[in-house]
Amino acid sequence: MISASPAPEDREALEWLYGTQLFGMKLGLENTRRLLDAIELPARRQRFIHIAGTNGKGSTCAFMHSILRASGIRAGLFTSPHLIEFGERIRDDARMISHEEIAAGIGRIRALVSDWEPHPTFFEIALALALDWFRARELPWVVLETGLGGRLDATNAITPAVSVITPIGMDHMQILGSTLAEIAAEKAGIIKPGVPVVCAPQEPDAMEVIVRVAKEKHAPLTVVTEPASGKLGLAGPHQAWNAALAVAAVRLMGLDVSDEQIASGLRETVWPARFQRLDARTFLDGAHNEPAAQALAEAWRHEFGGEKATIILGASTGKDTAATLRALAPVAARWIFTGFDSPRTLAPGIAREMLAAPHETHIALDITEALAFATRFSERKLITGSLYFAGEVLARHEARIESRERSDQ
């Protein structure tokens, strides 16, 4: 959905919200609970599906939300980050939150927290804004994606009807832990006493943690063992597993949803920057860690067999870019390294130095130069490396670069 640029008064509210990124990320629930309690959130009788994991969270949320929409069940959707504009993070079955609604909601929260110490973070305010809008829209269900981790993520202040854990891998190690078991323990922190849990297949170290925590919390655990079948709106073999996870979660919600409605929802799911076809020769994916890059390489081979790609890569700092490059190397004919408009961008020269396998490489000033240079070669183009990079690419593709709202969280 493309919306008009915000009016000046609405822009000022958004700029204040983006300014709260200076407060950084504060893992912990005390301030979140204080904020939600002050606004009397969440709404009474509103029920939640809570999703954590390393990869596939957004796609799983999108499948789930699409199934509910196809079934006539009104539900909110809270995800992060956005690609082009903030409102993408907060939507229901009909539309995303408007600029005017964002500004009004921020105005109320801003007045409330002006003298708070510690000040609420960007993500805590975004969550409160979303829950306030979902209440105003009188939505009976909300699909809620964690921002980072699970145990100490702001979204964990909510008690859901169903908890969902997507595949867990090595990412955000500087915050969540240096081993798969440590990271899994943070993700499994969303498991609540007695609340059913649906889990994707995991590596043994991660699964051991999830099984143990579920048992300790007396939370019934369902592990998805087969991918979904039938036509899906999102491409790639890994999306069949995300779809199966979404279906299992919807089944546990106790709703009257038919097989036909589920099939329709899966078929109609749209989620940008997930092996998205921009044109016949160009594909976009936000893969930014090794498991996501492995899934992307598998999706490429599934679609194009042994055909290689000219890969245009813009990576973020703080990620294991070397592992991402290793995972994508088997499908690469050559690499074009570039950057994007964010302090999080990894210098393309540094990214190129991380490439272990001998490959033809080039450096471009930006995505426009990279795409122009890529036209010299016959291969299809694969643009990837970061969701923040994907957002900039998508904004340029849709001629919305002037209205793009850059965010570092």
Side-chain angles (χ1 to χ4, degrees):
M1 178 184 295
I2 298 177
S3 61
S5 298
E9 61 272 21
D10 300 335
R11 169 65 64 183
E12 193 277 332
L14 272 169
E15 288 175 352
W16 176 84
L17 176 61
Y18 287 128
T20 64
Q21 292 178 126
L22 296 175
F23 296 110
M25 293 184 293
K26 298 185 181 74
L27 293 177
L29 303 180
E30 183 177 349
N31 222 34
T32 304
R33 289 185 174 127
R34 179 188 180 190
L35 179 58
L36 297 186
D37 287 346
I39 313 175
E40 298 182 339
L41 294 168
R44 291 184 179 181
R45 294 182 295 278
Q46 202 165 56
R47 305 182 73 193
F48 294 83
I49 311 100
H50 194 196
I51 297 91
T54 302
N55 291 304
K57 296 193 302 293
S59 297
T60 301
C61 288
F63 278 126
M64 209 175 303
H65 196 240
S66 185
I67 291 170
L68 295 177
R69 183 170 56 246
S71 306
I73 297 166
R74 300 184 64 238
L77 176 63
F78 177 73
T79 59
S80 61
H82 63 267
L83 295 177
I84 299 178
E85 58 180 291
F86 176 85
E88 297 165 18
R89 298 171 181 246
I90 305 169
R91 65 183 76 201
D92 65 8
D93 53 299
R95 63 180 178 87
M96 67 185 192
I97 187 172
S98 69
H99 296 303
E100 295 79 10
E101 290 166 329
I102 292 170
I106 289 174
R108 292 190 294 270
I109 295 171
R110 186 177 182 177
L112 175 68
V113 305
S114 60
D115 60 350
W116 282 24
E117 183 60 42
H119 195 283
T121 65
F122 172 87
F123 191 75
E124 289 167 337
I125 294 168
L127 174 64
L129 176 66
L131 297 183
D132 191 29
W133 190 72
F134 296 151
R135 175 174 58 186
R137 299 285 285 172
E138 298 182 344
L139 304 173
W141 284 93
V142 173
V143 179
L144 197 65
E145 179 191 6
T146 55
L148 178 65
R151 181 176 65 92
L152 298 176
D153 187 77
T155 59
N156 208 29
I158 303 299
T159 298
V162 181
S163 302
V164 180
I165 301 178
T166 69
I168 296 171
M170 302 299 290
D171 200 11
H172 298 294
M173 287 87 80
Q174 71 277 19
I175 298 173
L176 301 180
S178 58
T179 68
L180 198 58
E182 289 174 343
I183 295 172
E186 293 298 317
K187 308 290 185 181
I190 71 165
I191 298 175
K192 301 293 197 304
V195 175
V197 185
V198 183
C199 183
Q202 306 286 350
E203 294 293 331
D205 287 354
M207 185 59 75
E208 181 180 349
V209 172
I210 293 167
V211 170
R212 174 173 50 79
V213 173
K215 185 176 181 180
E216 291 170 352
K217 298 289 182 67
H218 302 286
L221 175 63
T222 300
V223 179
V224 172
T225 58
E226 293 183 354
S229 59
K231 184 173 176 55
L232 303 178
L234 304 181
H238 60 294
Q239 294 293 3
W241 286 98
N242 293 332
L245 198 59
V247 171
V250 169
R251 295 289 193 200
L252 283 175
M253 290 164 61
L255 301 172
D256 184 17
V257 177
S258 69
D259 292 342
E260 291 76 14
Q261 290 168 330
I262 288 175
S264 176
L266 296 180
R267 186 171 59 251
E268 295 169 4
T269 300
V270 176
W271 202 237
R274 274 70 176 182
F275 201 49
Q276 179 182 357
R277 183 187 294 264
L278 299 184
D279 59 43
R281 308 288 297 173
T282 309
F283 293 78
L284 175 67
D285 193 279
H288 57 276
N289 56 37
E290 184 176 16
Q294 289 171 340
L296 175 56
E298 182 184 8
W300 183 271
R301 287 189 291 265
H302 183 265
E303 189 76 14
F304 301 117
E307 183 180 330
K308 302 289 187 178
T310 290
I311 298 182
I312 300 173
L313 188 128
S316 297
T317 57
K319 299 292 183 179
D320 189 354
T321 299
T324 298
L325 296 175
R326 285 196 302 272
L328 290 173
V331 301
R334 68 187 52 78
W335 301 82
I336 302 175
F337 294 96
T338 189
F340 51 96
D341 181 23
S342 169
R344 297 187 62 152
T345 189
L346 180 68
I350 294 176
R352 180 164 68 175
E353 291 173 1
M354 296 179 180
L355 188 63
H359 264 114
E360 176 186 343
T361 63
H362 308 272
I363 288 180
L365 179 65
D366 55 24
I367 184 59
T368 301
E369 182 177 297
L371 286 169
F373 188 76
T375 60
R376 301 182 184 186
F377 310 109
S378 61
E379 293 84 7
R380 298 177 201 269
K381 299 179 285 292
L382 176 59
I383 306 170
T384 190
S386 165
L387 278 171
Y388 301 100
F389 179 46
E392 182 173 300
V393 173
L394 202 59
R396 290 183 182 276
H397 177 72
E398 297 180 0
R400 299 169 61 196
I401 195 65
E402 295 300 323
S403 61
R404 181 170 181 248
E405 298 164 8
R406 197 190 78 196
S407 173
D408 300 323
Q409 290 184 29

